Short mmCIF file of all heavy atoms in Angstrom, two decimals:
data_model
loop_
_atom_site.label_atom_id
_atom_site.label_comp_id
_atom_site.label_asym_id
_atom_site.label_seq_id
_atom_site.Cartn_x
_atom_site.Cartn_y
_atom_site.Cartn_z
N MET D 78 0.86 -1.17 0.00
CA MET D 78 0.00 0.00 0.00
C MET D 78 0.90 1.23 0.00
O MET D 78 1.84 1.32 0.77
CB MET D 78 -0.89 -0.03 1.25
CG MET D 78 -1.81 1.15 1.36
SD MET D 78 -2.89 1.12 2.81
CE MET D 78 -3.94 -0.24 2.44
N SER D 79 0.60 2.18 -0.84
CA SER D 79 1.42 3.39 -0.94
C SER D 79 1.03 4.38 0.16
O SER D 79 -0.03 4.28 0.79
CB SER D 79 1.21 4.06 -2.30
OG SER D 79 -0.07 4.66 -2.37
N PHE D 80 1.90 5.33 0.37
CA PHE D 80 1.63 6.37 1.36
C PHE D 80 0.37 7.16 0.99
O PHE D 80 -0.45 7.48 1.85
CB PHE D 80 2.84 7.30 1.50
CG PHE D 80 2.67 8.35 2.56
CD1 PHE D 80 2.63 8.00 3.89
CD2 PHE D 80 2.54 9.67 2.20
CE1 PHE D 80 2.47 8.96 4.87
CE2 PHE D 80 2.37 10.65 3.17
CZ PHE D 80 2.34 10.29 4.51
N LEU D 81 0.21 7.44 -0.29
CA LEU D 81 -0.97 8.17 -0.74
C LEU D 81 -2.24 7.39 -0.42
O LEU D 81 -3.24 7.96 0.05
CB LEU D 81 -0.88 8.46 -2.24
CG LEU D 81 -2.07 9.20 -2.86
CD1 LEU D 81 -2.26 10.56 -2.20
CD2 LEU D 81 -1.86 9.35 -4.36
N GLU D 82 -2.21 6.07 -0.64
CA GLU D 82 -3.38 5.24 -0.32
C GLU D 82 -3.67 5.25 1.18
O GLU D 82 -4.83 5.32 1.58
CB GLU D 82 -3.14 3.80 -0.79
CG GLU D 82 -3.13 3.65 -2.31
CD GLU D 82 -2.65 2.28 -2.75
OE1 GLU D 82 -1.74 1.72 -2.11
OE2 GLU D 82 -3.20 1.78 -3.74
N ILE D 83 -2.62 5.21 1.98
CA ILE D 83 -2.82 5.28 3.43
C ILE D 83 -3.46 6.60 3.81
O ILE D 83 -4.41 6.65 4.59
CB ILE D 83 -1.48 5.08 4.17
CG1 ILE D 83 -0.97 3.66 3.97
CG2 ILE D 83 -1.63 5.38 5.66
CD1 ILE D 83 0.45 3.42 4.46
N LYS D 84 -2.94 7.70 3.26
CA LYS D 84 -3.51 9.02 3.56
C LYS D 84 -4.99 9.08 3.17
O LYS D 84 -5.81 9.62 3.93
CB LYS D 84 -2.73 10.11 2.81
CG LYS D 84 -1.40 10.42 3.43
CD LYS D 84 -0.58 11.40 2.62
CE LYS D 84 -1.27 12.71 2.36
NZ LYS D 84 -0.44 13.70 1.68
N GLN D 85 -5.31 8.54 2.02
CA GLN D 85 -6.70 8.56 1.57
C GLN D 85 -7.60 7.76 2.51
O GLN D 85 -8.70 8.19 2.85
CB GLN D 85 -6.81 8.03 0.14
CG GLN D 85 -6.21 8.97 -0.89
CD GLN D 85 -6.08 8.34 -2.27
OE1 GLN D 85 -6.10 7.12 -2.42
NE2 GLN D 85 -5.91 9.19 -3.28
N GLN D 86 -7.11 6.60 2.94
CA GLN D 86 -7.92 5.78 3.84
C GLN D 86 -8.05 6.42 5.21
O GLN D 86 -9.12 6.37 5.82
CB GLN D 86 -7.32 4.38 3.96
CG GLN D 86 -7.53 3.57 2.71
CD GLN D 86 -7.20 2.10 2.89
OE1 GLN D 86 -6.73 1.68 3.94
NE2 GLN D 86 -7.45 1.31 1.86
N VAL D 87 -6.99 7.04 5.69
CA VAL D 87 -7.05 7.73 6.98
C VAL D 87 -8.05 8.89 6.91
O VAL D 87 -8.81 9.12 7.85
CB VAL D 87 -5.65 8.21 7.43
CG1 VAL D 87 -5.73 9.17 8.60
CG2 VAL D 87 -4.77 7.03 7.77
N ALA D 88 -8.06 9.59 5.80
CA ALA D 88 -8.99 10.71 5.64
C ALA D 88 -10.45 10.26 5.72
O ALA D 88 -11.32 11.04 6.10
CB ALA D 88 -8.72 11.43 4.33
N GLU D 89 -10.71 9.02 5.40
CA GLU D 89 -12.08 8.50 5.42
C GLU D 89 -12.49 7.94 6.79
O GLU D 89 -13.66 7.63 7.00
CB GLU D 89 -12.22 7.40 4.36
CG GLU D 89 -12.07 7.92 2.94
CD GLU D 89 -12.07 6.81 1.91
OE1 GLU D 89 -12.41 5.66 2.25
OE2 GLU D 89 -11.72 7.09 0.75
N LEU D 90 -11.54 7.84 7.71
CA LEU D 90 -11.85 7.30 9.03
C LEU D 90 -12.69 8.28 9.85
O LEU D 90 -12.56 9.49 9.69
CB LEU D 90 -10.56 7.02 9.81
CG LEU D 90 -9.67 5.89 9.33
CD1 LEU D 90 -8.37 5.89 10.13
CD2 LEU D 90 -10.38 4.56 9.47
N PRO D 91 -13.52 7.76 10.75
CA PRO D 91 -14.23 8.64 11.68
C PRO D 91 -13.21 9.34 12.59
O PRO D 91 -12.11 8.82 12.82
CB PRO D 91 -15.13 7.70 12.49
CG PRO D 91 -14.99 6.35 11.90
CD PRO D 91 -13.86 6.36 10.93
N TRP D 92 -13.56 10.47 13.14
CA TRP D 92 -12.61 11.24 13.94
C TRP D 92 -12.09 10.46 15.13
O TRP D 92 -10.94 10.63 15.53
CB TRP D 92 -13.19 12.59 14.36
CG TRP D 92 -14.22 12.53 15.46
CD1 TRP D 92 -15.56 12.42 15.32
CD2 TRP D 92 -13.96 12.55 16.85
NE1 TRP D 92 -16.16 12.37 16.55
CE2 TRP D 92 -15.19 12.45 17.52
CE3 TRP D 92 -12.81 12.63 17.62
CZ2 TRP D 92 -15.31 12.44 18.90
CZ3 TRP D 92 -12.92 12.63 19.00
CH2 TRP D 92 -14.16 12.53 19.62
N GLU D 93 -12.91 9.58 15.72
CA GLU D 93 -12.44 8.79 16.87
C GLU D 93 -11.27 7.89 16.46
O GLU D 93 -10.27 7.78 17.18
CB GLU D 93 -13.57 7.91 17.44
CG GLU D 93 -14.71 8.67 18.05
CD GLU D 93 -15.85 8.87 17.05
OE1 GLU D 93 -15.67 8.61 15.84
OE2 GLU D 93 -16.94 9.30 17.50
N ASP D 94 -11.37 7.27 15.30
CA ASP D 94 -10.30 6.40 14.82
C ASP D 94 -9.07 7.21 14.44
O ASP D 94 -7.94 6.78 14.66
CB ASP D 94 -10.77 5.56 13.64
CG ASP D 94 -11.77 4.48 14.05
OD1 ASP D 94 -11.85 4.16 15.26
OD2 ASP D 94 -12.47 3.96 13.17
N ARG D 95 -9.27 8.40 13.87
CA ARG D 95 -8.13 9.25 13.54
C ARG D 95 -7.42 9.69 14.82
O ARG D 95 -6.19 9.75 14.87
CB ARG D 95 -8.57 10.47 12.72
CG ARG D 95 -8.96 10.13 11.30
CD ARG D 95 -9.06 11.35 10.39
NE ARG D 95 -9.77 12.47 10.96
CZ ARG D 95 -11.09 12.68 10.82
NH1 ARG D 95 -11.83 11.83 10.13
NH2 ARG D 95 -11.65 13.74 11.37
N PHE D 96 -8.20 9.97 15.86
CA PHE D 96 -7.62 10.34 17.16
C PHE D 96 -6.78 9.18 17.72
O PHE D 96 -5.66 9.38 18.19
CB PHE D 96 -8.73 10.72 18.13
CG PHE D 96 -8.23 11.14 19.48
CD1 PHE D 96 -7.69 12.40 19.67
CD2 PHE D 96 -8.29 10.26 20.55
CE1 PHE D 96 -7.21 12.78 20.92
CE2 PHE D 96 -7.81 10.63 21.80
CZ PHE D 96 -7.28 11.89 21.98
N LYS D 97 -7.31 7.96 17.66
CA LYS D 97 -6.58 6.79 18.14
C LYS D 97 -5.31 6.57 17.31
O LYS D 97 -4.25 6.23 17.84
CB LYS D 97 -7.46 5.55 18.08
CG LYS D 97 -8.58 5.54 19.10
CD LYS D 97 -9.47 4.32 18.90
CE LYS D 97 -10.70 4.38 19.79
NZ LYS D 97 -11.62 3.26 19.52
N LEU D 98 -5.42 6.76 16.00
CA LEU D 98 -4.27 6.62 15.12
C LEU D 98 -3.21 7.66 15.47
O LEU D 98 -2.01 7.35 15.52
CB LEU D 98 -4.70 6.74 13.66
CG LEU D 98 -3.58 6.64 12.62
CD1 LEU D 98 -2.86 5.30 12.71
CD2 LEU D 98 -4.15 6.86 11.22
N SER D 99 -3.65 8.86 15.71
CA SER D 99 -2.72 9.93 16.08
C SER D 99 -1.98 9.58 17.37
O SER D 99 -0.76 9.77 17.48
CB SER D 99 -3.49 11.24 16.24
OG SER D 99 -2.63 12.26 16.66
N ALA D 100 -2.71 9.06 18.36
CA ALA D 100 -2.08 8.66 19.63
C ALA D 100 -1.09 7.52 19.40
O ALA D 100 0.00 7.51 19.97
CB ALA D 100 -3.15 8.25 20.63
N PHE D 101 -1.46 6.58 18.54
CA PHE D 101 -0.57 5.46 18.22
C PHE D 101 0.72 5.96 17.57
O PHE D 101 1.82 5.53 17.93
CB PHE D 101 -1.31 4.48 17.30
CG PHE D 101 -0.42 3.41 16.73
CD1 PHE D 101 0.06 2.38 17.52
CD2 PHE D 101 -0.07 3.44 15.39
CE1 PHE D 101 0.89 1.40 16.99
CE2 PHE D 101 0.75 2.46 14.85
CZ PHE D 101 1.23 1.44 15.65
N LEU D 102 0.60 6.87 16.62
CA LEU D 102 1.77 7.40 15.94
C LEU D 102 2.66 8.18 16.91
O LEU D 102 3.90 8.10 16.84
CB LEU D 102 1.36 8.27 14.76
CG LEU D 102 0.70 7.52 13.59
CD1 LEU D 102 0.18 8.50 12.55
CD2 LEU D 102 1.64 6.52 12.97
N ALA D 103 2.05 8.92 17.81
CA ALA D 103 2.83 9.66 18.81
C ALA D 103 3.59 8.70 19.71
O ALA D 103 4.75 8.93 20.06
CB ALA D 103 1.90 10.55 19.64
N GLU D 104 2.94 7.59 20.08
CA GLU D 104 3.60 6.58 20.91
C GLU D 104 4.78 5.96 20.17
O GLU D 104 5.85 5.74 20.76
CB GLU D 104 2.60 5.49 21.30
CG GLU D 104 3.18 4.43 22.21
CD GLU D 104 2.18 3.34 22.53
OE1 GLU D 104 0.97 3.62 22.59
OE2 GLU D 104 2.62 2.20 22.70
N LEU D 105 4.62 5.69 18.88
CA LEU D 105 5.73 5.16 18.09
C LEU D 105 6.90 6.14 18.07
O LEU D 105 8.06 5.74 18.20
CB LEU D 105 5.28 4.88 16.66
CG LEU D 105 4.48 3.62 16.39
CD1 LEU D 105 4.11 3.53 14.91
CD2 LEU D 105 5.24 2.38 16.81
N ASP D 106 6.59 7.41 17.88
CA ASP D 106 7.64 8.43 17.87
C ASP D 106 8.36 8.48 19.21
O ASP D 106 9.59 8.60 19.25
CB ASP D 106 7.06 9.81 17.55
CG ASP D 106 6.72 9.98 16.08
OD1 ASP D 106 7.18 9.17 15.26
OD2 ASP D 106 5.98 10.93 15.77
N GLU D 107 7.62 8.40 20.30
CA GLU D 107 8.23 8.44 21.63
C GLU D 107 9.15 7.25 21.84
O GLU D 107 10.25 7.38 22.38
CB GLU D 107 7.16 8.47 22.72
CG GLU D 107 6.45 9.80 22.84
CD GLU D 107 5.36 9.79 23.89
OE1 GLU D 107 5.40 8.94 24.81
OE2 GLU D 107 4.46 10.64 23.79
N ARG D 108 8.71 6.07 21.40
CA ARG D 108 9.53 4.86 21.52
C ARG D 108 10.82 5.01 20.73
O ARG D 108 11.91 4.72 21.21
CB ARG D 108 8.77 3.64 21.04
CG ARG D 108 8.37 2.73 22.17
CD ARG D 108 7.79 1.45 21.64
NE ARG D 108 6.35 1.61 21.48
CZ ARG D 108 5.59 0.95 20.67
NH1 ARG D 108 6.11 0.03 19.90
NH2 ARG D 108 4.30 1.16 20.61
N HIS D 109 10.67 5.50 19.49
CA HIS D 109 11.85 5.68 18.63
C HIS D 109 12.78 6.72 19.25
O HIS D 109 13.99 6.55 19.25
CB HIS D 109 11.43 6.10 17.23
CG HIS D 109 12.57 6.39 16.32
ND1 HIS D 109 13.39 5.41 15.81
CD2 HIS D 109 13.06 7.56 15.86
CE1 HIS D 109 14.32 5.96 15.07
NE2 HIS D 109 14.15 7.26 15.09
N GLU D 110 12.20 7.79 19.75
CA GLU D 110 13.00 8.86 20.36
C GLU D 110 13.76 8.32 21.57
O GLU D 110 14.94 8.62 21.76
CB GLU D 110 12.09 10.02 20.78
CG GLU D 110 12.81 11.18 21.43
CD GLU D 110 13.67 11.99 20.47
OE1 GLU D 110 13.46 11.91 19.26
OE2 GLU D 110 14.56 12.70 20.96
N ALA D 111 13.11 7.49 22.38
CA ALA D 111 13.77 6.92 23.56
C ALA D 111 14.92 6.01 23.13
O ALA D 111 16.00 6.05 23.73
CB ALA D 111 12.76 6.16 24.41
N GLU D 112 14.71 5.20 22.10
CA GLU D 112 15.77 4.32 21.59
C GLU D 112 16.94 5.15 21.07
O GLU D 112 18.10 4.86 21.34
CB GLU D 112 15.23 3.42 20.49
CG GLU D 112 14.28 2.35 20.95
CD GLU D 112 13.65 1.60 19.79
OE1 GLU D 112 14.18 1.67 18.66
OE2 GLU D 112 12.62 0.94 20.01
N PHE D 113 16.61 6.19 20.30
CA PHE D 113 17.65 7.05 19.72
C PHE D 113 18.45 7.74 20.83
O PHE D 113 19.68 7.77 20.79
CB PHE D 113 17.02 8.08 18.79
CG PHE D 113 18.00 9.06 18.22
CD1 PHE D 113 18.89 8.66 17.23
CD2 PHE D 113 18.04 10.36 18.68
CE1 PHE D 113 19.81 9.56 16.70
CE2 PHE D 113 18.95 11.26 18.16
CZ PHE D 113 19.83 10.87 17.17
N ARG D 114 17.75 8.27 21.82
CA ARG D 114 18.45 8.94 22.93
C ARG D 114 19.34 7.95 23.67
O ARG D 114 20.44 8.30 24.10
CB ARG D 114 17.45 9.58 23.89
CG ARG D 114 16.83 10.84 23.33
CD ARG D 114 15.81 11.40 24.32
NE ARG D 114 15.10 12.50 23.74
CZ ARG D 114 15.27 13.77 24.13
NH1 ARG D 114 16.08 14.05 25.12
NH2 ARG D 114 14.59 14.72 23.55
N GLY D 115 18.89 6.72 23.82
CA GLY D 115 19.70 5.70 24.47
C GLY D 115 20.96 5.41 23.69
O GLY D 115 22.05 5.27 24.26
N GLN D 116 20.84 5.33 22.36
CA GLN D 116 22.00 5.08 21.52
C GLN D 116 22.99 6.24 21.60
O GLN D 116 24.21 6.03 21.72
CB GLN D 116 21.57 4.88 20.07
CG GLN D 116 20.83 3.59 19.83
CD GLN D 116 20.26 3.51 18.41
OE1 GLN D 116 20.35 4.45 17.64
NE2 GLN D 116 19.67 2.37 18.09
N VAL D 117 22.48 7.45 21.54
CA VAL D 117 23.35 8.62 21.63
C VAL D 117 24.03 8.67 22.99
O VAL D 117 25.23 8.95 23.08
CB VAL D 117 22.56 9.93 21.35
CG1 VAL D 117 23.39 11.16 21.70
CG2 VAL D 117 22.12 9.97 19.90
N ASP D 118 23.28 8.38 24.04
CA ASP D 118 23.84 8.37 25.39
C ASP D 118 24.97 7.37 25.50
O ASP D 118 26.04 7.66 26.05
CB ASP D 118 22.74 8.07 26.41
CG ASP D 118 23.23 8.20 27.83
OD1 ASP D 118 23.87 9.22 28.16
OD2 ASP D 118 22.96 7.27 28.64
N ASN D 119 24.75 6.15 24.96
CA ASN D 119 25.81 5.13 24.99
C ASN D 119 27.04 5.57 24.22
O ASN D 119 28.18 5.34 24.64
CB ASN D 119 25.28 3.80 24.44
CG ASN D 119 24.30 3.15 25.37
OD1 ASN D 119 24.26 3.42 26.57
ND2 ASN D 119 23.47 2.27 24.84
N ARG D 120 26.84 6.20 23.07
CA ARG D 120 27.98 6.67 22.28
C ARG D 120 28.74 7.76 23.01
O ARG D 120 29.98 7.79 23.00
CB ARG D 120 27.50 7.19 20.93
CG ARG D 120 27.03 6.12 20.00
CD ARG D 120 26.53 6.68 18.70
NE ARG D 120 25.99 5.64 17.86
CZ ARG D 120 25.21 5.85 16.84
NH1 ARG D 120 24.87 7.09 16.50
NH2 ARG D 120 24.75 4.85 16.12
N MET D 121 28.01 8.67 23.65
CA MET D 121 28.67 9.75 24.39
C MET D 121 29.46 9.18 25.56
O MET D 121 30.59 9.63 25.83
CB MET D 121 27.64 10.77 24.88
CG MET D 121 26.94 11.53 23.77
SD MET D 121 28.06 12.49 22.75
CE MET D 121 28.51 13.77 23.90
N LYS D 122 28.91 8.20 26.26
CA LYS D 122 29.63 7.58 27.37
C LYS D 122 30.90 6.89 26.87
O LYS D 122 31.95 6.97 27.52
CB LYS D 122 28.74 6.57 28.09
CG LYS D 122 27.68 7.23 28.95
CD LYS D 122 26.77 6.20 29.60
CE LYS D 122 25.66 6.88 30.38
NZ LYS D 122 24.68 5.91 30.89
N ALA D 123 30.80 6.22 25.71
CA ALA D 123 31.97 5.57 25.14
C ALA D 123 33.03 6.60 24.76
O ALA D 123 34.22 6.39 25.01
CB ALA D 123 31.57 4.73 23.92
N MET D 124 32.61 7.70 24.19
CA MET D 124 33.57 8.75 23.83
C MET D 124 34.19 9.36 25.07
O MET D 124 35.40 9.60 25.12
CB MET D 124 32.90 9.82 22.97
CG MET D 124 32.62 9.37 21.56
SD MET D 124 32.12 10.66 20.41
CE MET D 124 30.72 11.39 21.20
N ASP D 125 33.38 9.60 26.10
CA ASP D 125 33.91 10.17 27.35
C ASP D 125 34.94 9.24 27.97
O ASP D 125 35.89 9.69 28.61
CB ASP D 125 32.77 10.43 28.34
CG ASP D 125 31.89 11.61 27.94
OD1 ASP D 125 32.32 12.41 27.07
OD2 ASP D 125 30.78 11.72 28.49
N ALA D 126 34.75 7.93 27.78
CA ALA D 126 35.69 6.95 28.33
C ALA D 126 36.89 6.74 27.41
O ALA D 126 37.77 5.95 27.72
CB ALA D 126 34.96 5.64 28.57
N GLY D 127 36.92 7.42 26.27
CA GLY D 127 38.04 7.30 25.35
C GLY D 127 38.02 6.05 24.50
O GLY D 127 39.04 5.66 23.95
N ARG D 128 36.86 5.42 24.35
CA ARG D 128 36.80 4.17 23.61
C ARG D 128 36.47 4.37 22.14
O ARG D 128 36.52 3.41 21.38
CB ARG D 128 35.77 3.24 24.24
CG ARG D 128 36.20 2.73 25.59
CD ARG D 128 35.29 1.63 26.08
NE ARG D 128 33.90 2.04 26.10
CZ ARG D 128 33.19 2.23 27.20
NH1 ARG D 128 33.73 2.07 28.37
NH2 ARG D 128 31.92 2.59 27.13
N LYS D 129 36.11 5.54 21.72
CA LYS D 129 35.76 5.74 20.32
C LYS D 129 37.00 5.85 19.45
O LYS D 129 37.09 5.27 18.40
CB LYS D 129 34.89 6.99 20.14
CG LYS D 129 33.43 6.74 20.35
CD LYS D 129 32.92 5.80 19.31
CE LYS D 129 31.43 5.73 19.31
NZ LYS D 129 30.91 4.76 18.41
N MET D 130 37.96 6.62 19.89
CA MET D 130 39.16 6.84 19.09
C MET D 130 40.23 7.37 20.04
O MET D 130 39.96 8.17 20.92
CB MET D 130 38.80 7.81 17.96
CG MET D 130 39.79 8.83 17.61
SD MET D 130 39.33 10.01 16.30
CE MET D 130 37.90 9.42 15.50
N SER D 131 41.43 6.89 19.83
CA SER D 131 42.54 7.35 20.68
C SER D 131 42.94 8.77 20.27
O SER D 131 42.60 9.24 19.17
CB SER D 131 43.73 6.41 20.55
OG SER D 131 44.30 6.55 19.26
N ALA D 132 43.70 9.41 21.14
CA ALA D 132 44.19 10.76 20.84
C ALA D 132 45.08 10.72 19.60
O ALA D 132 45.04 11.63 18.77
CB ALA D 132 44.94 11.32 22.03
N GLU D 133 45.87 9.64 19.47
CA GLU D 133 46.76 9.51 18.31
C GLU D 133 45.95 9.40 17.01
O GLU D 133 46.30 10.00 16.00
CB GLU D 133 47.67 8.29 18.47
CG GLU D 133 48.69 8.42 19.59
CD GLU D 133 48.09 8.11 20.97
OE1 GLU D 133 47.04 7.44 21.04
OE2 GLU D 133 48.67 8.57 21.96
N GLU D 134 44.88 8.60 17.05
CA GLU D 134 44.03 8.48 15.86
C GLU D 134 43.41 9.84 15.50
O GLU D 134 43.37 10.22 14.34
CB GLU D 134 42.90 7.48 16.11
CG GLU D 134 43.33 6.04 16.11
CD GLU D 134 42.15 5.13 16.44
OE1 GLU D 134 41.73 5.12 17.62
OE2 GLU D 134 41.66 4.46 15.51
N PHE D 135 42.95 10.53 16.51
CA PHE D 135 42.34 11.85 16.29
C PHE D 135 43.35 12.80 15.66
O PHE D 135 43.05 13.48 14.68
CB PHE D 135 41.80 12.42 17.61
CG PHE D 135 41.25 13.80 17.47
CD1 PHE D 135 39.97 13.99 16.97
CD2 PHE D 135 42.01 14.90 17.81
CE1 PHE D 135 39.46 15.27 16.82
CE2 PHE D 135 41.50 16.18 17.66
CZ PHE D 135 40.22 16.36 17.17
N GLU D 136 44.54 12.84 16.23
CA GLU D 136 45.57 13.75 15.71
C GLU D 136 45.95 13.38 14.27
O GLU D 136 46.17 14.26 13.43
CB GLU D 136 46.79 13.74 16.63
CG GLU D 136 46.50 14.43 17.96
CD GLU D 136 47.61 14.24 18.98
OE1 GLU D 136 48.65 13.61 18.66
OE2 GLU D 136 47.43 14.71 20.11
N GLY D 137 46.04 12.08 13.99
CA GLY D 137 46.35 11.64 12.63
C GLY D 137 45.29 12.08 11.64
O GLY D 137 45.60 12.57 10.55
N ARG D 138 44.04 11.90 12.01
CA ARG D 138 42.94 12.34 11.13
C ARG D 138 42.97 13.86 10.95
O ARG D 138 42.72 14.38 9.86
CB ARG D 138 41.60 11.90 11.69
CG ARG D 138 41.37 10.43 11.59
CD ARG D 138 40.01 10.04 12.11
NE ARG D 138 39.84 8.60 12.13
CZ ARG D 138 38.68 8.00 12.33
NH1 ARG D 138 37.59 8.72 12.54
NH2 ARG D 138 38.61 6.69 12.34
N HIS D 139 43.26 14.56 12.04
CA HIS D 139 43.31 16.02 11.98
C HIS D 139 44.42 16.46 11.02
O HIS D 139 44.21 17.36 10.18
CB HIS D 139 43.55 16.59 13.38
CG HIS D 139 43.62 18.07 13.43
ND1 HIS D 139 42.54 18.88 13.15
CD2 HIS D 139 44.66 18.91 13.72
CE1 HIS D 139 42.91 20.14 13.26
NE2 HIS D 139 44.19 20.18 13.60
N ARG D 140 45.59 15.83 11.12
CA ARG D 140 46.71 16.17 10.21
C ARG D 140 46.32 15.92 8.74
O ARG D 140 46.60 16.74 7.87
CB ARG D 140 47.95 15.36 10.56
CG ARG D 140 48.78 15.97 11.68
CD ARG D 140 50.14 15.30 11.77
NE ARG D 140 50.06 13.90 12.09
CZ ARG D 140 49.90 13.39 13.32
NH1 ARG D 140 49.80 14.22 14.34
NH2 ARG D 140 49.85 12.08 13.52
N LYS D 141 45.67 14.77 8.48
CA LYS D 141 45.25 14.46 7.10
C LYS D 141 44.29 15.52 6.57
O LYS D 141 44.37 15.94 5.42
CB LYS D 141 44.63 13.09 7.04
CG LYS D 141 45.61 11.95 7.13
CD LYS D 141 44.91 10.61 7.05
CE LYS D 141 45.87 9.47 7.25
NZ LYS D 141 45.19 8.15 7.24
N LEU D 142 43.35 15.92 7.41
CA LEU D 142 42.39 16.94 6.98
C LEU D 142 43.09 18.26 6.70
O LEU D 142 42.78 18.95 5.72
CB LEU D 142 41.30 17.13 8.03
CG LEU D 142 40.28 16.00 8.15
CD1 LEU D 142 39.38 16.21 9.37
CD2 LEU D 142 39.44 15.93 6.90
N GLN D 143 44.03 18.64 7.56
CA GLN D 143 44.77 19.88 7.35
C GLN D 143 45.58 19.82 6.06
O GLN D 143 45.62 20.79 5.30
CB GLN D 143 45.71 20.16 8.53
CG GLN D 143 45.01 20.70 9.74
CD GLN D 143 45.98 21.00 10.86
OE1 GLN D 143 46.93 20.27 11.09
NE2 GLN D 143 45.73 22.09 11.56
N GLN D 144 46.20 18.68 5.79
CA GLN D 144 47.00 18.53 4.58
C GLN D 144 46.15 18.60 3.33
O GLN D 144 46.61 19.05 2.28
CB GLN D 144 47.78 17.21 4.63
CG GLN D 144 48.89 17.19 5.64
CD GLN D 144 49.50 15.81 5.84
OE1 GLN D 144 49.03 14.83 5.29
NE2 GLN D 144 50.56 15.74 6.64
N SER D 145 44.90 18.15 3.44
CA SER D 145 44.03 18.21 2.27
C SER D 145 43.29 19.54 2.17
O SER D 145 42.46 19.73 1.31
CB SER D 145 43.01 17.06 2.30
OG SER D 145 42.10 17.23 3.38
N GLY D 146 43.62 20.47 3.07
CA GLY D 146 43.05 21.82 3.01
C GLY D 146 41.70 21.97 3.69
O GLY D 146 40.98 22.93 3.44
N ARG D 147 41.38 21.06 4.52
CA ARG D 147 40.10 21.17 5.24
C ARG D 147 40.30 21.63 6.65
O ARG D 147 41.21 21.50 7.30
CB ARG D 147 39.37 19.82 5.25
CG ARG D 147 38.97 19.40 3.86
CD ARG D 147 38.10 18.21 3.94
NE ARG D 147 38.41 17.31 2.84
CZ ARG D 147 37.95 16.10 2.72
NH1 ARG D 147 37.18 15.60 3.64
NH2 ARG D 147 38.25 15.35 1.71
#
């Protein structure tokens, strides 16, 4: 089913069902947002602990970027 078909079918729903659908979609967004925030939090903790990249790796990448004019 295409997005356009979904939109057309949603437009034909009674307002009570559209309200329930809206609440469902908001709940999905909240779940996704919570998962995303958790992933970002874990990445930040890893970076704070120095596990993402060593100082030497960072400096090497920085030198390469400078040499290429960035």
